[in-house]
């Protein structure tokens, strides 16, 4: 199933009365509304309208007026004109897509929640006649009488302006609708259970009414959804301003049968995101779940992050414990396209935890992006059994000899083994390119595809390590200290190599094409640095917390 039309529609998510400029959040002053920073404990209520197989929803749980005030106070005076312009543009997008004037039709009676959902990839389940994506927009009501008055006036105004209104009763609920008129979108609307609902098709509202009358049909009734929602609500600082959900399997057959729930909140320097990812929802994976604990990742010790002292600055890095188990976990969980891309990028090193059975302590994987080609990479693993590590590296050398020439050199008096791909020219001159190199010291094993990168790591001084970076330190203070994997990404680095490589995957190409120029895509350009901390609470669940520092 093609997914492009769905992601065209997801652009609407970016204009879901997103009455905040995320680029301004990083400039928060001490005067901003505390309740927006603290977030709310409530959960999205409009989920009760959504079919169980809904591909995506995004809920804002704080009234837009508070978010608007937050952005005005967060922005520096010189930026407030830009913020007002962005907010005006968002309201204009709401008028274009839903025919709604926010200030007149919605604001007077709106409560604390706005939810936009993609409810169906194809409403009639017949791809041959084109995908007919279903969308639902839900506004929570705080004043039912005022909401009724505003909606009556809204539909009357459409009729006066030439729209052909339709009326029907479904399960005792009144639904008004309008079809395309002079390139204006078709919409349908009703009021249901303390929400005003709009959809792009009456069939979407039919399913919403069915879900209310038979709760077992709704997404809110799924145990997996409730379990993940509980995961987001545990621990400290669980307040949030937004919740998002994506059922990846519904976007296309190319995507994994997994789903993701996210809670978003703010702090004084950026954005915090707490996620719960279901690693497998298909029954065949559940049947093999008993086999997964052998590769379940261990919680890293707080001291694990000390290995960052062995990584040169200027890199993006992943830090964890037990590289062997991590590689085996990737084998078990990555979809085939991503697995093949990873295997190709690290060849001839096998993506096999057994090859790194000795690497059961701290490790770090660093990337040093280059604009012209794939990045230089560096793997550093702590040595516990020096002889075992030496034998394992010799085994990797034997594997490399099948396609490469293996030899030894010295870098700053440190013995280094290099794997070289030799070639001969027409005049029989022989030259070679280094495919990888490794070295073993008292404390660490180093493996890299770049001799200069390897040399910089072997001769590294503490004040030149990524651990000494101010941004790295700031990110770590924002992340929990009891997770098995940590990541740090400096967005100031050139990531064009990553964009080029992921565009080879069809579904990522289509997502990128439709999102790069959206409001969300433009907002992400304001991210200065980001970090994540990850853990899996059981064989089928992974929890990740992200922190984004904005420019």
């Amino acid at each position: 199933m093609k997914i492009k039309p769905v992601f065209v529609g997801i652009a609407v998510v970016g204009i879901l009365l997103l009455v905040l400029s995320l680029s301004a959040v990083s400039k928060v002053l001490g005067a901003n509304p505390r309740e927006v920073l603290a977030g709310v404990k409530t959960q999205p209520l409009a989920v009760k309208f959504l079919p169980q197989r809904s591909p995506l929803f995004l809920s804002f749980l704080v009234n837009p007026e508070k978010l608007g005030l937050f952005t005005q106070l967060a922005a520096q005076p010189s930026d407030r004109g830009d913020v007002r312009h962005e907010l005006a543009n968002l309201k204009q997008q709401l008028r274009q897509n839903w025919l709604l004037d926010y200030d007149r039709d919605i604001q007077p009676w709106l409560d604390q929640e706005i939810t936009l959902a993609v409810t169906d990839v194809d409403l009639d389940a017949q791809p041959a006649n084109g995908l007919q994506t279903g969308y639902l927009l839900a506004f929570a009501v705080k004043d039912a009488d005022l909401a009724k008055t505003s909606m009556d006036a809204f539909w009357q105004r459409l009729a006066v302006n030439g729209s052909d209104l339709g009326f029907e009763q479904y399960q005792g609920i009144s639904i008004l609708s309008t079809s395309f008129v002079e390139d204006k979108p078709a919409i349908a609307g009703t009021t249901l259970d303390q929400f005003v609902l709009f959809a792009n098709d009456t069939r979407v509202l039919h399913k919403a009414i069915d879900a209310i009358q038979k709760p077992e049909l709704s997404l809110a009734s799924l145990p997996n959804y409730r379990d993940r929602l509980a995961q987001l609500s545990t621990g400290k600082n669980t307040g949030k301003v937004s919740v998002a959900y994506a059922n990846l399997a519904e976007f296309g057959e190319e995507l994994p049968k997994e789903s993701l729930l996210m809670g978003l909140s703010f702090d004084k320097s950026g954005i915090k995101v707490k996620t719960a990812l279901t690693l497998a929802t298909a029954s065949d994976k559940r049947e093999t779940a008993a086999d997964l604990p052998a590769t379940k990742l261990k919680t890293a010790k707080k001291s694990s992050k000390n290995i960052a002292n062995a990584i040169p600055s200027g890199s993006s890095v992943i830090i964890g414990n037990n590289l062997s188990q991590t590689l085996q976990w990737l084998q078990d969980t990555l979809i085939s396209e991503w697995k093949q891309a990873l295997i190709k990028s690290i060849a001839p090193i096998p993506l096999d935890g057994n090859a790194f059975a000795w690497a059961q302590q701290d490790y770090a994987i660093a990337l040093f992006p280059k604009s012209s080609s794939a990045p230089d990479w560096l793997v550093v693993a702590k040595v516990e059994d020096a002889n075992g590590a030496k034998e394992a590296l010799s085994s990797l050398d034997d594997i490399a000899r099948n396609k490469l020439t293996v030899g030894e050199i010295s870098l700053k008096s440190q013995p280094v083994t290099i794997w070289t791909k030799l070639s001969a020219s027409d005049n029989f001159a022989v030259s070679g390119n280094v495919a990888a190199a490794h070295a073993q010291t008292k404390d660490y094993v180093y493996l890299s595809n770049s001799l200069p990168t390897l040399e910089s790591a072997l001769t590294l001084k503490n004040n030149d390590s990524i651990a000494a970076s101010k941004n790295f330190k700031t990110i770590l203070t924002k992340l929990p200290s009891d997770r098995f994997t940590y990541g740090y990404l400096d967005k100031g680095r050139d990531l064009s190599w990553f964009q080029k490589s992921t565009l080879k995957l069809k579904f990522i190409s289509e997502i990128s094409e439709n999102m790069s120029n959206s409001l969300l895509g433009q907002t992400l350009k304001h991210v200065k640095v980001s970090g994540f901390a990850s853990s899996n609470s059981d064989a089928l669940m992974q929890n990740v917390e992200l922190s984004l520092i904005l420019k």
Side-chain angles (χ1 to χ4, degrees):
M1 180 181 293
K2 295 183 179 180
I3 63 174
K4 185 171 181 178
V6 174
F7 283 102
V8 171
I10 291 176
V12 181
V13 172
I15 57 92
L16 173 61
L17 280 176
L18 196 53
V19 230
L20 65 155
S21 167
L22 295 182
S23 61
V25 176
S26 63
K27 304 165 185 175
V28 171
L29 306 176
N32 55 63
R34 293 183 178 180
E35 59 186 297
V36 175
L37 281 179
V40 298
K41 304 289 185 180
T42 56
Q43 312 299 350
L45 299 179
V47 182
K48 60 189 175 185
F49 302 120
L50 306 183
Q52 290 187 352
R53 293 186 59 180
S54 295
L56 179 141
F57 78 76
L58 173 65
S59 293
F60 282 90
L61 305 176
V62 176
N63 187 281
E65 302 309 307
K66 294 178 181 178
L67 290 176
L69 175 61
F70 175 76
T71 58
Q72 290 296 315
L73 293 176
Q76 294 180 353
S78 59
D79 296 321
R80 288 174 184 170
D82 292 337
V83 172
R84 286 191 292 271
H85 176 74
E86 289 185 35
L87 301 186
N89 182 60
L90 291 170
K91 292 179 180 181
Q92 176 62 28
Q93 292 290 336
L94 186 66
R95 284 191 290 271
Q96 291 177 357
N97 287 279
W98 297 94
L99 309 179
L100 292 164
D101 184 307
Y102 173 78
D103 294 323
R104 178 181 57 194
D105 300 326
I106 305 299
Q107 188 273 332
W109 50 263
L110 180 63
D111 202 4
Q112 299 297 314
E113 180 180 340
I114 304 175
T115 292
L116 177 67
V118 178
T119 62
D120 298 89
V121 173
D122 192 6
L123 284 166
D124 64 3
Q126 297 182 23
N129 63 8
L131 295 182
Q132 302 176 44
T133 306
Y135 301 100
L136 180 72
L137 180 58
F139 297 97
V141 174
K142 69 177 178 181
D143 187 327
D145 292 336
L146 187 54
K148 183 179 185 305
T149 300
S150 296
M151 288 300 95
D152 288 345
F154 167 74
W155 290 107
Q156 290 172 9
R157 192 163 55 251
L158 290 184
V160 169
N161 290 334
S163 295
D164 185 13
L165 297 188
F167 174 82
E168 68 169 293
Q169 288 275 336
Y170 182 81
Q171 305 285 10
I173 305 297
S174 299
I175 297 175
L176 284 169
S177 61
T178 180
S179 56
F180 284 104
V181 176
E182 296 179 356
D183 297 326
K184 292 182 179 179
I187 60 171
T190 190
T191 300
L192 185 63
D193 203 25
Q194 296 301 307
F195 277 85
V196 169
L197 305 181
F198 291 94
N200 66 325
D201 193 292
T202 55
R203 289 172 291 181
V204 174
L205 296 183
H206 292 173
K207 291 187 177 183
I209 294 169
D210 290 340
I212 281 292
Q213 297 187 350
K214 296 180 180 180
E216 66 273 13
L217 300 177
S218 75
L219 175 61
S221 70
L222 284 180
N224 274 349
Y225 172 77
R226 295 199 304 267
D227 291 345
R228 280 169 288 169
L229 201 58
Q231 291 279 350
L232 296 185
S233 301
T234 58
K236 298 180 180 179
N237 303 320
T238 56
K240 51 194 174 295
V241 298
S242 179
V243 171
Y245 167 84
N247 186 352
L248 303 182
E250 295 298 321
F251 286 129
E253 296 175 355
E254 296 174 301
L255 288 169
K257 311 302 181 186
E258 299 172 355
S259 54
L260 176 70
L261 189 68
M262 298 185 295
L264 181 146
S265 59
F266 298 136
D267 63 22
K268 290 189 175 183
S269 59
I271 305 170
K272 297 183 294 182
V273 182
K274 192 173 183 180
T275 75
L277 172 67
T278 299
L279 297 175
T281 55
S283 58
D284 57 340
K285 278 202 170 185
R286 290 190 178 279
E287 291 171 0
T288 61
D291 298 329
L292 290 178
T295 59
K296 182 180 176 182
L297 302 177
K298 295 181 179 179
T299 299
K301 300 175 183 177
K302 189 173 183 179
S303 60
S304 294
K305 295 185 285 293
N306 291 338
I307 200 171
N309 289 301
I311 301 297
S313 61
S315 63
S316 296
V317 65
I318 295 175
I319 296 171
N321 186 270
N322 200 323
L323 180 61
S324 174
Q325 285 190 348
T326 299
L327 293 175
Q328 192 59 54
W329 178 79
L330 289 173
Q331 283 271 52
D332 293 337
T333 58
L334 284 181
I335 61 174
S336 59
E337 292 91 347
W338 288 349
K339 187 185 299 184
Q340 292 305 313
L342 180 58
I343 289 173
K344 183 178 180 180
S345 67
I346 65 174
I349 303 169
L351 182 63
D352 183 355
N354 294 327
F356 292 86
W358 58 273
Q360 299 183 13
Q361 300 302 309
D362 303 340
Y363 74 87
I365 302 172
L367 297 178
F368 300 81
K370 299 182 296 184
S371 59
S372 60
S373 61
D376 292 340
W377 50 260
L378 171 69
V379 177
V380 181
K382 189 172 179 59
V383 172
E384 184 179 52
D385 179 355
N387 290 331
K390 186 175 181 179
E391 292 175 3
L393 291 173
S394 295
S395 297
L396 289 178
D397 291 339
D398 291 338
I399 295 173
R401 286 189 178 94
N402 293 327
K403 294 183 178 181
L404 302 170
T405 300
V406 178
E408 291 189 0
I409 63 171
S410 178
L411 284 179
K412 304 294 185 181
S413 302
Q414 170 65 48
V416 173
T417 300
I418 60 171
W419 304 346
T420 308
K421 185 175 183 179
L422 299 178
S423 60
S425 63
D426 293 338
N427 60 1
F428 302 106
V430 177
S431 61
N433 294 316
V434 174
H438 63 77
Q440 181 174 345
T441 66
K442 176 184 175 182
D443 297 316
Y444 299 110
V445 164
Y446 297 80
L447 186 63
S448 179
N449 65 340
S450 164
L451 280 179
T453 297
L454 182 60
E455 181 179 11
S456 67
L458 291 171
T459 60
L460 186 65
K461 299 185 184 323
N462 284 341
N463 57 355
D464 293 326
S465 72
I466 195 171
S469 163
K470 180 179 178 181
N471 286 337
F472 182 78
K473 292 178 180 178
T474 301
I475 280 290
L476 285 190
T477 62
K478 295 177 176 294
L479 297 172
S481 60
D482 59 348
R483 301 304 174 93
F484 68 72
T485 305
Y486 292 85
Y488 166 82
L489 175 65
D490 187 337
K491 291 294 291 293
R493 307 298 166 187
D494 190 336
L495 297 179
S496 58
W497 64 272
F498 180 74
Q499 296 169 351
K500 292 176 182 177
S501 62
T502 55
L503 288 179
K504 297 176 183 178
L505 301 179
K506 180 181 176 183
F507 59 88
I508 292 184
S509 175
E510 296 192 6
I511 294 171
S512 177
E513 179 183 347
N514 288 287
M515 295 296 289
S516 60
N517 293 320
S518 69
L519 178 64
L520 178 59
Q522 295 300 313
T523 295
L524 292 177
K525 293 180 180 179
H526 293 288
V527 176
K528 180 180 180 182
V529 292
S530 59
F532 71 85
S534 173
S535 68
N536 54 342
S537 56
D538 58 53
L540 296 175
M541 181 79 73
Q542 182 173 359
N543 298 316
V544 179
E545 292 192 33
L546 299 96
S547 180
L548 310 178
I549 296 178
L550 305 176
K551 298 176 183 177

